[in-house]
Amino acid sequence: MQVLQVQLEVGADPAEVGRARRWARSRLLGSGIRDDEPLAETLILLISELVTNAVVHTGCPAVLRMLFGSTGAPGNAGTVRVEVADTSCRPPQQRHAEGEDTGGRGLELVDGLADRWGWQPEGAGKRIWCEVDRSIPVIQVQMQPCAHGAGGHGAEVCGSGGCDAVGREAVGRDAVMREPGGAYEPSHAVTHRA
């Protein structure tokens, strides 16, 4: 199996998240994933969440890696793996945001969009990763403005957690069953099945 790996050093400034997204878009194009494909949009969102978590929660620089794997099997384009390594040894903690919370949704999004995700120690810190299989359609989530406005509602109105931090809610979901598998053996893994 061939794997192409690219990486970017990300500074500890939250403004670096935008730079990481722009860099990732250009690398996706270089790997044959068009900007307008749902797969590209999903990967950019995953990258944004993982880089934001690393920069905000550690206050330290991080390294963003993208690995493009090909199994060589006919009809199988392989897996895209996103990794973000930081210098904090603290394990990631999945939180559950309540109505007006402005944070706490990052790993929930990763869990919902990635085929697999997890973390493992790396040096004095850790590496958080997620994978999306290229040959299987990604879950498409249509976002539209929430009727209750950004952060202006309580759990009693949108208790399902369907709204994000900027007042959008998922209104459509074309889910497909995904089978676990892949070429990586992480130590702390979560497999997501739609």
Side-chain angles (χ1 to χ4, degrees):
M1 177 173 96
Q2 282 187 315
V3 175
L4 169 65
Q5 176 178 323
V6 293
Q7 75 177 34
L8 172 72
E9 293 184 18
V10 180
D13 181 358
E16 289 281 280
V17 177
R19 185 173 74 90
R21 281 192 300 263
R22 289 187 298 278
W23 176 85
R25 281 188 194 284
S26 70
R27 296 320 178 267
L28 290 173
L29 282 171
S31 75
I33 300 172
R34 291 188 332 267
D35 210 22
D36 61 346
E37 290 182 51
L39 175 62
E41 294 171 12
T42 298
L43 288 166
I44 294 301
L45 179 56
L46 291 167
I47 288 164
S48 184
E49 292 301 329
L50 293 180
V51 170
T52 298
N53 284 351
V55 170
V56 169
H57 295 296
T58 70
C60 299
V63 175
L64 166 62
R65 295 184 195 105
M66 296 172 61
L67 295 88
F68 301 91
S70 171
T71 64
N76 189 347
T79 297
V80 179
R81 181 176 172 111
V82 174
E83 301 178 346
V84 176
D86 61 50
T87 57
S88 171
C89 63
R90 231 176 66 213
Q93 302 222 343
Q94 189 168 352
R95 299 182 308 171
H96 300 284
E98 298 291 327
E100 292 186 29
D101 293 347
T102 58
R105 292 171 177 85
L107 289 178
E108 285 185 23
L109 283 170
V110 171
D111 184 54
L113 294 173
D115 290 305
R116 291 163 298 283
W117 74 276
W119 69 279
Q120 60 196 93
E122 180 172 297
K126 67 181 170 304
R127 174 183 351 161
I128 301 175
W129 58 267
C130 65
E131 296 177 344
V132 177
D133 296 327
R134 292 176 76 172
S135 61
I136 299 173
V138 297
I139 295 172
Q140 295 184 20
V141 178
Q142 177 186 356
M143 301 300 275
Q144 72 178 26
C146 175
H148 309 292
H153 59 332
E156 70 281 0
V157 177
C158 287
S160 68
C163 297
D164 70 5
V166 292
R168 297 177 300 190
E169 61 184 331
V171 295
R173 187 170 179 159
D174 181 19
V176 295
M177 181 63 76
R178 300 177 187 183
E179 292 300 320
Y184 306 100
E185 297 297 327
S187 57
H188 303 278
V190 176
T191 298
H192 177 269
R193 294 175 186 238

